[in-house]
Amino acid sequence: MRHCIKGGQIIDPAGGYMGIGDLLMDSGKIIQVAPELSGNEGEIIDARGKMVIPGLIDLHSHLREPGREDEETVASGTKAALKGGFTAIACMANTNPVADNPVVIDYLYHQAKEKGYVKVYPVGAVTKGLQGEELAEMGEMAAAGAVAFSDDGKTITNAAVLRTACEYSTLFNLPILLHEEEPKLAGSGVMHEGYWSTILGLPGIPSLAEDVMTARDLLIAEFTKAKVHFCHVSTKGSVELIRQAKSRGVKVTAEATPHHFSLTDESIQGYDPVYRVSPPLRSAEDVQALKEGLKDGTIDAIATDHAPHTLEEKHREFSLAPTGMIGFETALGVAWTELVETGWLTPEQLVMKMSANPARIINRSGGSLKPGEPADVVLFDPRQDWVLEKSQIVSQSKNSPFIGRRLTGRIEAVWVDGVLKYSKERFA
Ligand code: DOR
């Protein structure tokens, strides 16, 4: 159980250690981090030329269990997450049955314990059946271990329902994770409304659909003082609204996904349904605003919105295909390539947004390599280029827009609670 990762570049902004050093772990915990350790080091792992970072934590994923085990299961999804450097993931409530009661939350913990490769943090629904009208059993789900509440995939359009949910959530000190899209403004849109929707002849979803709901919910968050988190922010307008609210002292947080800050609506030119996602891929101007928001701290976290769909479901015409793309296995590579290699973020900032900040938002341990923390650790080679091949995808679904794309930065090994669960060569 005793391992020492030696000579790597340790990037632990939350724990305050940055630089070449050795990391000793034992019995599932970080024991010591220092420039050079010697004596009683247990098994030694040579990390020279590599980076050692805290295990990534994903605030936003869809494991599809229970109900759509043909798309993903707790086992296949957590295995894909592990390969992507995640040691803990929050999974959304839009399963079948919906996770709107403590039985489903218990079930997910049970499956994770039996079959999971990484820690699983279930999110409970805000409303029964995600119908947006009647509050779900929030108290009982909190008692069963739900880490947050969300109707993700759907917007809570009834402001009174959201107000009550926000007030209620403060009793448990759990955040509400919001999917923002005003359905009447989105109408029958299937992609971002703009130049490309016009050229392609596809109905558009205006940025306004997201901005209107973001503005409303910032007011509700301010009024109720609830912990509110904005999922998959995609528009320039939303970034600016969140920035202004934060500068007034409103305590909200926000995430962006790798696909929203790396792809634009121009990708839809070939009508490939792999690019259909909710919210839709936006314009280059929106992508720029997301990067600025990530840089100045308006956007606290990077989350995958890993949304598996089978080949059969996605192999339909663009307007009929379901929304969503998988993201666990490419998140760090895409973020490193798009944000760090280009100078938008420092490695420390990226690590904060993919580990410490998500941990803080859902109030879990992790995100740091401080002694006493769980030994959730990733060995990462920031210089290695790689190309995702479909045959290498571990997730049960293969709906990734990044297949065939060259990415920089590769996960070499992952420890969860001090156990080596993944190395480039094999899964434990
Ligand atoms: O594209 C998406 N797919 N966005 C969501 O918010 C939900 C997700 C899904 O469940 O497939």
Side-chain angles (χ1 to χ4, degrees), residues 93 98-101 124-138 141 149-152 154-158 161-162 165 176:
V98 171
D100 59 3
N101 63 77
V126 175
T127 67
K128 285 192 178 159
L130 307 177
Q131 292 303 302
E133 289 304 329
E134 210 184 323
L135 286 193
E137 297 166 21
M138 291 169 69
M141 288 193 288
F149 300 108
S150 181
D151 275 7
D152 178 64
K154 289 194 167 178
T155 302
I156 300 167
T157 52
N158 185 327
V161 168
L162 182 61
I176 298 210

Side-chain angles (χ1 to χ4, degrees), residues 53-57 77-87 118 304 327-333 354 378-380 386 394 409-414 422 427:
I53 63 175
L56 308 181
I57 298 172
T78 54
K79 192 171 181 181
L82 176 70
K83 187 180 163 213
F86 292 94
T87 51
V118 304
T304 65
F328 285 145
E329 293 166 71
T330 47
L332 184 57
M354 295 187 81
V378 171
L379 185 63
F380 175 70
W386 61 288
V394 166
R410 183 147 210 186
I411 315 276
E412 300 259 317
V414 184
Y422 170 77
F427 283 94

Side-chain angles (χ1 to χ4, degrees), residues 60 62 64 94 152-153 179 232 276-279 305 307-309 323-325:
H60 190 150
H62 299 272
R64 303 295 190 223
N94 64 342
D152 178 64
H179 180 124
H232 41 46
R276 184 158 184 215
V277 66
S278 171
D305 194 5
H309 293 291
T323 56
M325 39 182 80

Side-chain angles (χ1 to χ4, degrees), residues 109-359:
Y109 274 119
H110 174 267
Q111 291 299 86
K113 189 161 172 252
E114 295 289 308
K115 301 172 184 165
Y117 287 75
V118 304
K119 295 164 194 177
V120 173
Y121 298 141
V123 174
V126 175
T127 67
K128 285 192 178 159
L130 307 177
Q131 292 303 302
E133 289 304 329
E134 210 184 323
L135 286 193
E137 297 166 21
M138 291 169 69
E140 290 182 34
M141 288 193 288
V147 299
F149 300 108
S150 181
D151 275 7
D152 178 64
K154 289 194 167 178
T155 302
I156 300 167
T157 52
N158 185 327
V161 168
L162 182 61
R163 175 202 169 169
T164 312
C166 282
E167 287 174 342
Y168 203 35
S169 71
T170 60
L171 296 178
F172 321 110
N173 193 28
L174 294 182
I176 298 210
L177 320 177
L178 292 170
H179 180 124
E180 302 295 38
E181 186 175 88
E182 207 291 313
K184 290 280 195 303
L185 283 170
S188 57
V190 296
M191 68 175 289
H192 173 62
E193 178 183 292
Y195 174 82
W196 284 105
S197 63
T198 312
I199 296 286
L200 298 172
L202 290 171
I205 301 171
S207 303
L208 183 66
E210 181 171 318
D211 300 348
V212 159
M213 296 307 288
T214 303
R216 184 200 76 174
D217 293 348
L218 283 165
L219 292 173
I220 293 177
E222 189 166 9
F223 181 82
T224 59
K225 302 197 168 42
K227 278 169 90 175
V228 165
H229 172 81
F230 293 89
C231 292
H232 41 46
V233 173
S234 75
T235 64
K236 183 179 174 183
S238 286
V239 175
E240 186 49 30
L241 286 162
I242 295 166
R243 183 180 287 121
Q244 286 168 9
K246 282 188 166 188
S247 74
R248 288 202 306 279
V250 184
K251 293 210 172 358
V252 294
T253 55
E255 74 192 29
T257 72
H259 49 272
H260 286 113
F261 62 68
S262 65
L263 301 170
T264 67
D265 52 350
E266 190 178 349
S267 321
I268 298 164
Q269 271 184 88
Y271 297 92
D272 184 343
V274 81
Y275 295 103
R276 184 158 184 215
V277 66
S278 171
L281 300 177
R282 301 282 183 189
S283 68
E285 209 186 339
D286 293 301
V287 169
Q288 176 78 10
L290 289 181
K291 289 179 175 170
E292 283 164 8
L294 282 158
K295 194 178 178 69
D296 72 12
T298 302
I299 299 176
D300 307 82
I302 293 171
T304 65
D305 194 5
H306 176 86
H309 293 291
T310 63
L311 225 65
E312 293 72 30
E313 290 170 301
K314 274 291 196 184
H315 274 190
R316 302 163 82 183
E317 71 179 77
F318 192 88
S319 318
L320 299 177
T323 56
M325 39 182 80
I326 57 170
F328 285 145
E329 293 166 71
T330 47
L332 184 57
V334 172
W336 193 270
T337 308
E338 292 286 329
L339 302 175
V340 179
E341 290 280 300
T342 53
W344 276 98
L345 295 186
T346 61
E348 299 89 281
Q349 286 172 318
L350 184 70
V351 166
M352 283 300 285
K353 287 179 199 295
M354 295 187 81
S355 64
N357 290 352

